[in-house]
Amino acid sequence: MKALVYQGPGKKALETRPMPAIAAPTDAIVKISKTTICGTDLHILKGDVPTCAPGRILGHEGVGVVHEIGAGVTAFEPGDHVLISCISACGTCEPCRKGMYSHCTTGGWILGNTIDGTQAEYVRIPHANTSLYRIPEGAKEDALVMLSDILPTGFECGVLNGKVQPGCTVAIVGAGPIGLAALLTAQFYSPAQIIMIDMDDNRLETALRFGATSVINSSRQNPKDVVMQLTGGQGVDTAIEAVGVPATFELCEDLVAAGGTIANIGVHGVKVDLHLERLWSHNITITTRLVDTVTTPMLLKTVQAGKVDPLRLITHRFKLDDILQAYETFGHAAQTQALKVLIEAS
Ligand SMILES: NC(=O)c1ccc[n+]([C@@H]2O[C@H](COP(=O)([O-])OP(=O)(O)OC[C@H]3O[C@@H](n4cnc5c(N)ncnc54)[C@H](O)[C@@H]3O)[C@@H](O)[C@H]2O)c1
Ligand SMILES: [Zn+2]
Ligand SMILES: [Zn+2]
């Protein structure tokens, strides 16, 4: 089969690989129909993710059809149309029992990291009973690819952890796919204001179309001044960090109102200053989270019901044969205006 293989920092290739085989009774083999590329795949290619070794097939998002099941798989049969979660979960270990699938002792984020991933014609999914979701009849398959990772990430790490409520004020720093997913799902709760901050005008325009009430280009305007103006000098109830660099987390420390929450989503590679000399008396909460994908069934229903349309995040489409071009397009988002690129594998 064809697969996109990480060959060490800065190197990747479309290779011919053997078909994956069932390795444990709880495994399923899924024939991929659509997959996509995540910012995290770019982190891996930069050499930022040491757990991902050269030779690994990348990708942790996708939809497909069950091709083969192990003897212990009871929830699915060959031919079933399924959504693949970026998090594999056994459902029975202590973290899984707490609903913290991301910390499953034999799963978590392993796909396209410590085991071969979804940017291929076929993929082996461990703990298939609890890591795949049945796609309802007539569902828009392309939209559901956004449910493997980015929609649950924006929703769980940003909106739920950030305690977004009716009438509250929200600032989202970073208008990439994750920040935009937080923007889309924050609207389930009717906040009074959602202020989007980025340095890319095209992404900010997209944010306005997706329901942001104000946008701030932080390369031209001082985001703290504008947010204080917009909130009567209070700051925001929820500041969502969706970039993953010190400057944007520190900006959230400046934007959060007394009693508010900073919900961090970004993957941070270096330390960040926490200004307790100012914040100690501010009654704030800071949350961090690796996406658990516990809200996937609920998000599936909202997509089915048309309450949220993740299809709007897809800007480009490619065949698996052209995946190197898809990486080029996704990797140069400022020039290509790419958000999510959809890759058709079959
Ligand atoms: N916690 C989790 O489970 C989880 C899951 C998936 C992704 N992530 C992380 O979420 C983050 C966002 O992901 P993404 O795919 O949207 O990334 P992305 O790189 O596509 O988007 C980041 C956005 O931030 C903007 N930006 C960069 N520096 C900025 C600055 N100083 N001020 C304002 N804006 C700035 C960029 O213009 C870009 O639009 C990444 O760190 C990613 O690794 C976390
Ligand atoms: Zn991802
Ligand atoms: Zn588990």
Side-chain angles (χ1 to χ4, degrees):
M1 67 167 189
K2 282 176 282 190
L4 190 279
V5 178
Y6 171 59
Q7 297 183 322
K11 286 183 285 182
K12 59 183 177 313
L14 187 61
E15 292 184 6
T16 302
R17 282 298 192 88
M19 279 275 294
I22 300 281
T26 43
D27 287 352
I29 306 296
V30 175
K31 183 178 203 283
I32 297 287
S33 41
K34 312 258 170 63
T35 181
T36 181
I37 305 171
C38 178
T40 306
D41 298 323
L42 302 183
H43 276 301
I44 293 173
L45 281 162
K46 275 192 227 146
D48 289 347
V49 184
T51 47
C52 183
R56 180 69 60 233
I57 299 173
L58 294 183
H60 50 264
E61 299 163 273
V63 296
V65 176
V66 175
H67 176 72
E68 193 185 343
I69 55 170
V73 176
T74 51
F76 300 97
E77 283 176 7
D80 283 348
H81 199 192
V82 289
L83 164 68
I84 298 166
S85 173
C86 66
I87 299 293
S88 307
C90 75
T92 56
C93 72
E94 198 174 328
C96 279
R97 285 287 175 99
K98 290 180 182 162
M100 207 165 55
Y101 296 165
S102 62
H103 291 265
C104 174
T105 54
T106 54
W109 175 44
I110 55 175
L111 268 186
N113 177 11
T114 57
I115 66 168
D116 283 336
T118 56
Q119 290 166 11
E121 289 179 84
Y122 293 86
V123 63
R124 179 179 71 88
I125 302 295
H127 302 310
N129 278 338
T130 38
S131 307
L132 295 174
Y133 296 89
R134 193 178 299 279
I135 295 182
E137 200 74 36
K140 287 185 217 157
E141 187 178 59
D142 297 5
L144 298 187
V145 180
M146 306 299 118
L147 261 70
S148 291
D149 176 356
I150 66 165
L151 233 63
T153 296
F155 183 58
E156 293 175 12
C157 310
V159 176
L160 289 184
N161 275 18
K163 303 185 207 72
V164 175
Q165 289 171 17
C168 80
T169 51
V170 182
I172 302 174
V173 185
I178 299 283
L180 291 170
L183 168 63
L184 288 174
T185 55
Q187 291 168 71
F188 292 152
Y189 296 97
S190 301
Q193 290 192 58
I194 312 178
I195 306 161
M196 207 81 188
I197 302 166
D198 201 291
M199 302 180 305
D200 179 331
D201 282 326
N202 169 60
R203 287 187 164 186
L204 291 173
E205 272 167 40
T206 305
L208 280 175
R209 275 189 280 118
F210 283 19
T213 54
S214 320
V215 296
I216 303 171
N217 186 318
S218 56
S219 64
R220 288 199 300 270
Q221 290 172 290
N222 180 326
K224 185 182 176 188
D225 290 350
V226 182
V227 166
M228 289 305 157
Q229 245 168 37
L230 289 166
T231 57
Q234 296 292 304
V236 291
D237 300 312
T238 305
I240 297 176
E241 199 287 340
V243 185
V245 299
T248 48
F249 187 85
E250 287 182 39
L251 175 58
C252 289
E253 294 180 46
D254 285 338
L255 302 182
V256 69
T261 302
I262 298 175
N264 182 80
I265 311 180
V267 172
H268 290 265
V270 297
K271 72 184 179 76
V272 182
D273 285 335
L274 177 59
H275 290 285
L276 282 179
E277 76 283 5
R278 190 160 39 76
L279 292 171
W280 72 268
S281 61
H282 252 57
N283 304 26
I284 66 154
T285 305
I286 298 175
T287 64
T288 72
R289 189 170 187 176
L290 176 56
V291 63
D292 290 299
T293 66
V294 280
T295 62
T296 304
M298 172 242 139
L299 290 168
L300 252 169
K301 287 181 192 162
T302 63
V303 172
Q304 273 299 91
K307 301 292 178 195
V308 62
D309 182 13
L311 210 53
R312 303 164 79 186
L313 288 157
I314 300 169
T315 53
H316 296 75
R317 288 162 193 274
F318 296 91
K319 300 278 184 206
L320 183 59
D321 280 330
D322 301 319
I323 192 167
L324 293 176
Q325 203 190 325
Y327 264 92
E328 277 299 299
T329 303
F330 183 69
H332 296 92
Q335 291 89 53
T336 59
Q337 310 199 337
L339 284 172
K340 287 298 269 187
V341 300
L342 197 78
I343 296 156
E344 225 175 286
S346 56

